[in-house]
Amino acid sequence: MMRQGGRLVHLGTKALAVLAALLCSGFVWAGDVPDGNKLVRATVLSEYLTVVPGQSMHLGIRLEMEKGWHTYWKTSGESGLPVRVRFEEIEGVSFGELRWPAPDWHLGAGDVLDYIYEGTVVLLMPVTIDASATPGTSFDIRCKVDWLVCKELCVPGSAAAGCTIEVGVRSEAGADAPTIRAAREAIPKQLGGGSSSVRLAWRGAVLEVHCPGADGITLFLHDSEETAPLGPPTLRSVDGDRLRVPFDPPPDQYLIVSGVITVDRGRERASYDFALPGPTIR
Amino acid sequence: MGSFTKRLAAVAAIAFAGIWMGAAGDQHHSHSHAELGHQAPDFTLTDSNGKTHTLSEYTKSGKIVVLEWYNSGCPFVVRHHDQYNTMDDLYGEFSEQNVVFLAVNSTNENHRDYGLDVESIKKWSKRAPVLMDASGKVGAMFNAKTTPHMFVIDAKGTLAYTGAIDDDPRDDKSAESKTNYVRQALTELIASESVSIPKTKSYGCGVKYAR
């Protein structure tokens, strides 16, 4: 498989070096290729500078994209690659599951539908400090973030980022606490069964979304190997409070169709996580 | 009643769209859009050396055809031609076994990645010809979304595989632990077996279609 088969030991780093050299040198003939590492700035923000033993809080992973460039949501859509955040394991700190705000809708030429982030986005990592942590000590938290960043072309990039959290007898919020709070607000809410603002129902193989009074609805679907919506245009309504999404093949009741719904009301955008079993089709 | 009418209208609209797209695509086939398990839509394209290639001529002569959506300016394509030799290795392995490899480039003429084919073929010693589809017509027929995006058409002209080249979009896996879906599909087809994984999600850069 490898061109220089056999010398596997060196190939990982060598291949990386070759790729990096190619991407940074004159390999792409039509002008300079920007450095993917510099198109996104990744920083880790801590909600608290000082925590008490046993405390839970959020770390924010802030990505600031160069103007016009975008990275990808946890489901990238039809092209691209999701941002990946990997925290180094550290004794005394437990990490939860990364939380993502709703993405933007990006319908490229040829109807290539991607779910993207532009500008600045803050992902959240729930952390819990061990109850046995000792006041007066600190935790040095490190993570590696990698991404594919695209505009008219795509380039990979990565960064190492981190922060230090002190353990004390009293917790103390940091300057980034308001940013973390705002990021928490932007995380999609779980859609309850009795929600009156978003109604989801199957009509045969058509998923009907009704958000009374909404100005626009967008559905961001997670990948499924078993079924797919019939084309991007069915996934967004910009001037109505109903959306009808036909699926092909029809999902059965054992299949969960899931994703995020964003609902626009005036200038307000609310987002909801949903997971819905397929319809029973007789 | 009203909702039923709406539903009927929606179904009719979809059906109509299907028929319309069918008419616009290719007149000789009932399926002008590639669909797994159905006859692949036929096309004729010219490669970067000026040679024309017609899909049905290959399949009529009993060839299996592999289509690889291609743009040498995309880092995922670079990965499979330079960092690894994924595509040309397949060519070496299967071209003597009645398999034809065609790369298709649907990059539009105004994109910075347009026009790199001849140089990239030389640079990578790529043996499969690169067919030019700057209008994106064939890309649309196959619903090619990414570079690479792979399609395997069996010797009867039926679309037997569509999706990714392998199961390693992030390039995390060792050579031994990754599955090359195209190799798997070709091995099965040559052994007269059905393709066990006929569909995966392709990964890569978006195809740079004309607006």
Side-chain angles (χ1 to χ4, degrees), chain B residues 7-139:
Chain B
R7 243 180 297 157
L8 198 65
V11 170
I14 291 160
F16 177 76
I19 292 164
W20 179 81
M21 289 188 289
D26 189 272
Q27 318 249 322
H28 308 290
H29 288 267
S30 51
H31 290 275
S32 70
H33 273 60
E35 214 178 308
L36 260 181
H38 290 86
Q39 194 75 15
D42 198 14
F43 64 83
T44 299
L45 284 175
T46 306
D47 71 23
S48 56
N49 289 321
K51 186 184 173 202
T52 58
H53 301 261
T54 299
L55 178 65
S56 60
E57 283 177 13
Y58 289 118
T59 54
K60 269 181 207 151
S61 61
K63 306 275 191 196
I64 296 170
V65 177
V66 175
L67 303 179
E68 168 206 350
W69 252 263
Y70 182 79
N71 166 16
S72 62
C74 163
F76 294 88
V77 174
V78 174
R79 182 197 295 172
H80 290 294
H81 287 85
D82 200 286
Q83 183 185 352
Y84 308 111
N85 206 25
T86 321
M87 301 300 179
D88 207 56
D89 279 350
L90 284 176
Y91 185 102
E93 222 173 297
F94 291 100
S95 62
E96 299 294 310
Q97 298 182 68
N98 250 353
V99 181
V100 171
F101 289 82
L102 305 172
V104 183
N105 192 338
S106 300
T107 304
N108 76 77
E109 288 177 356
N110 297 317
H111 195 276
R112 57 181 285 159
D113 292 342
Y114 178 78
L116 306 179
D117 297 334
V118 172
E119 201 157 345
S120 69
I121 289 168
K122 198 170 140 200
K123 179 134 190 151
W124 293 333
S125 307
K126 186 175 175 60
R127 286 177 280 180
V130 178
L131 280 49
M132 297 179 297
D133 180 43
S135 73
K137 191 180 158 197
V138 174

Side-chain angles (χ1 to χ4, degrees), chain A residues 3 27 29 71 152 160 192 199 225 240 267 275:
Chain A
R3 178 165 277 177
F27 172 72
W29 305 270
T71 53
E152 59 169 8
R199 295 172 196 158
E225 283 178 15
R267 292 173 154 217

Side-chain angles (χ1 to χ4, degrees), chain A residues 235-252:
Chain A
L235 295 169
R236 163 169 264 198
S237 148
V238 287
D239 58 356
D241 64 357
R242 281 175 194 274
L243 203 57
R244 292 160 167 274
V245 186
F247 279 74
D248 184 37
D252 65 32

Side-chain angles (χ1 to χ4, degrees), chain A residues 221-260:
Chain A
L221 287 174
H222 294 318
D223 293 330
S224 163
E225 283 178 15
E226 287 86 5
T227 187
L230 275 181
T234 64
L235 295 169
R236 163 169 264 198
S237 148
V238 287
D239 58 356
D241 64 357
R242 281 175 194 274
L243 203 57
R244 292 160 167 274
V245 186
F247 279 74
D248 184 37
D252 65 32
Q253 70 268 40
Y254 302 109
L255 188 69
I256 305 289
V257 172
S258 65
V260 162

